[in-house]
Each structure stands twice: as C-alpha cells, then as structure tokens.
C-alpha cells in the first residue's frame, strides 16, 4: 500500500506539471499486475491499456476491473503480453504516459525494454519507471542485522563477467532479481531521448515491514505516508530508498 500510494502521489505531481488540466491521456501500464495504477488513472478519465504476461495476475486485474463502474470499465483494456513485444500492437507515439513499475528487475538488461517503450511514447509524453535501487541494496539486510548479507550487497557490482555493473539480489518471493543504479538508468534514458526530469525514492523507512503487516490506523498512517513522501524527495534519504522512481519526458 505504501509503495502504491507514494508512486501515485509522485506520478500525480509530474502529470500536473507536465499536462496541467489536459484532455484524457493515452496510458500504457506495462506489467500492470493487479491493475492498481491502471484503475486509478482510469477513474480520473484517462484511457488505459494494461499489459501483463502472467495469466494469474491478469485474471486478478480483470476481477478488479469488474468491480468498477461501467464508465471506468469502458476506459480500460487488459492485454496478455510483455513490454518487449509492445511494437506488435502499438505504433510509434501511441501513448502520452507509459508506466513500467517493478518490471526491469526481472529482465537481464533494461535497455531493450526501455527502447521499445521510448518508441511508443508520444512527443511531450512521460515515461514512469520504478526499479529496485542498486545503490541501496545493503540497507535492508543491514537494518535487519544480517551483516553477511549487508557485506555481500556492499561488495556487489561486477558479477556479469563483461565488466558491467549489474547488482543482483533475492527478492521477498525468493526469486533472483536485478537492481538498477539511478546513474545508469538516467544515462540510458537520455540516450533514448527521454531524459529524466524528476526522480524519487520509495520506501525509505518501511522497507523492513512484511508484506502482510496490517496497516496502522489514523493518524499514524497519515504520519507514516507524510514521512515517506518527504524522505522520498529529499537527499540523502531518497538515495538509499528500497526503490527509485524515475520520470523521463519526451521533448
């Protein structure tokens, strides 16, 4: 919940700055999961396409969509597929806003997918990318007292055999995944003509909370979100957040 709420606030801030009170946007959510962000944007009047390769996840998204009003349902299209193949369905400049949240960590390299997404982004459009922070991998094991894990994260880096830094880690599902460094992603997006215009940290203080932990009641929840939101836009805190949220803009 903390992740989704913070990303929503950060995205809203950049949408207002970029588009103001504009006509409905054409939105693509790559790896849409249970469609949390897709449905939120559809409720605000945008036309949203959700794309996910996992049948079970896509079924959950369709169940969530079925609970929405007919107006919202009409604005959402859910498709089975991966972002790398988006050129099959969509032409150049097809979307004003493209979301890629929690997807790059499962790919060996971010470049091919980002290039595919940049191709379908319209002039003036925004690309929203959420990744595991490769510069903060030691924080979770260190704060949990896993000193060996912290040292391993601090010593990580060139594990690819070709001289490129690809920080690896095991996620909470027990799956081997990959983190990304902000500097590297910023350079990649600039080369794709989608330079980063803003970036945030996500989950600075709450990364150790288990996924099944119950939400605190008010006013603690509001205070928690305010602390996370402020830290996520402030140095040095955002630099060691569990996740980083980058927003690139097509000129």
């Amino acid at each position: 919940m903390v992740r989704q709420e913070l990303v929503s606030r950060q995205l809203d801030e950049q949408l207002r700055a970029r588009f103001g009170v504009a006509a409905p946007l054409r939105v693509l959510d790559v790896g849409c999961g249970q469609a949390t962000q897709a449905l939120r944007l559809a409720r605000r009047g945008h036309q949203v396409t959700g794309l996910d390769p996992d049948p079970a996840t896509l079924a959950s998204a369709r169940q969530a969509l079925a609970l929405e009003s007919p107006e919202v349902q009409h604005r959402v299209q859910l498709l089975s597929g991966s972002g790398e193949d988006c050129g099959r369905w969509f032409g150049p400049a097809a979307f004003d806003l493209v979301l890629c949240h929690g997807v790059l960590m499962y790919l060996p390299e971010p470049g091919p997918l980002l290039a595919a997404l940049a191709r379908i982004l319209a002039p003036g459009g925004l690309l929203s990318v959420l990744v595991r922070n490769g510069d903060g991998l030691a924080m979770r094991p260190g704060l949990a007292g896993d000193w060996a894990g912290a040292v391993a994260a601090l010593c990580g880096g060139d594990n690819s055999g070709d001289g490129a830094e690809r920080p690896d880690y095991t996620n909470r599902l027990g799956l081997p995944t990959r983190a990304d460094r902000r500097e590297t992603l910023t350079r990649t997006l600039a080369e794709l003509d989608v330079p980063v215009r803003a970036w945030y940290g996500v989950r600075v203080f709450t990364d150790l909370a288990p996924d099944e932990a119950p939400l605190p009641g008010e006013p603690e929840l509001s205070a928690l979100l305010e602390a996370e939101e402020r830290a996520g836009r402030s140095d040095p805190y955002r630099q060691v957040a569990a996740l980083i949220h980058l927003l690139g803009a097509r000129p």
Side-chain angles (χ1 to χ4, degrees):
M1 177 272 180
V2 171
R3 181 193 69 190
Q4 297 285 11
E5 177 63 22
L6 291 172
V7 169
S8 295
R9 294 182 184 189
Q10 295 159 1
L11 189 56
D12 285 347
E13 180 178 67
Q14 293 303 315
L15 289 177
R16 287 193 301 269
R18 191 70 173 175
F19 300 104
V21 182
L25 302 176
R26 301 165 298 167
V27 181
L28 175 66
D29 187 354
V30 174
C32 64
Q34 297 179 338
T36 300
Q37 295 295 333
L39 294 179
R40 186 187 68 85
L41 289 165
R43 293 184 201 114
R44 300 195 175 194
H46 303 300
Q47 296 291 330
V48 184
T49 299
L51 191 64
D52 202 286
D54 182 62
T57 302
L58 205 56
S60 296
R62 290 190 171 117
Q63 290 176 356
L65 178 60
L67 299 176
E68 298 289 331
S69 68
E71 292 80 5
V72 171
Q73 293 182 35
H74 182 70
R75 298 187 194 110
V76 178
Q77 181 182 28
L78 296 174
L79 301 175
S80 176
S82 61
E84 300 95 318
D85 299 325
C86 61
R88 292 183 180 181
W89 298 290
F90 316 117
F95 294 96
D96 308 299
L97 171 64
V98 176
L99 311 183
C100 181
H101 296 169
V103 175
L104 294 183
M105 60 189 66
Y106 295 105
L107 303 178
E109 290 289 345
L113 176 55
L114 292 177
L117 300 183
R119 176 179 173 273
I120 61 173
L121 189 64
L126 280 179
L127 174 59
S128 171
V129 179
L130 184 72
V131 299
R132 188 72 162 95
N133 182 11
D135 293 319
L137 287 181
M139 294 300 294
R140 182 186 295 175
L143 291 173
D146 176 7
W147 310 122
V151 170
L154 289 167
C155 294
D158 182 6
N159 48 30
S160 63
D162 62 3
E165 287 192 352
R166 300 192 187 106
D168 294 338
Y169 72 103
T170 299
N171 68 8
R172 288 179 172 178
L173 300 177
L175 300 175
T177 47
R178 187 184 53 77
D180 287 285
R181 300 190 189 281
R182 179 174 60 88
E183 182 179 357
T184 303
L185 280 183
T186 298
R187 184 168 59 248
T188 298
L189 290 171
E191 292 170 351
L192 294 171
D193 199 25
V194 190
V196 172
R197 62 173 284 138
W199 74 277
Y200 306 85
V202 176
R203 284 207 328 247
V204 176
F205 303 125
T206 56
D207 190 45
L208 288 185
D211 292 339
E212 66 277 8
L215 286 175
E218 293 293 354
E220 184 181 353
L221 179 58
S222 293
L224 180 159
L225 291 172
E226 181 179 2
E228 283 279 7
E229 184 174 12
R230 288 177 178 269
R233 62 178 66 244
S234 304
D235 291 324
Y237 304 105
R238 62 177 179 170
Q239 298 174 19
V240 294
L243 307 167
I244 48 174
H245 183 197
L246 295 90
L247 291 110
R250 172 74 78 193

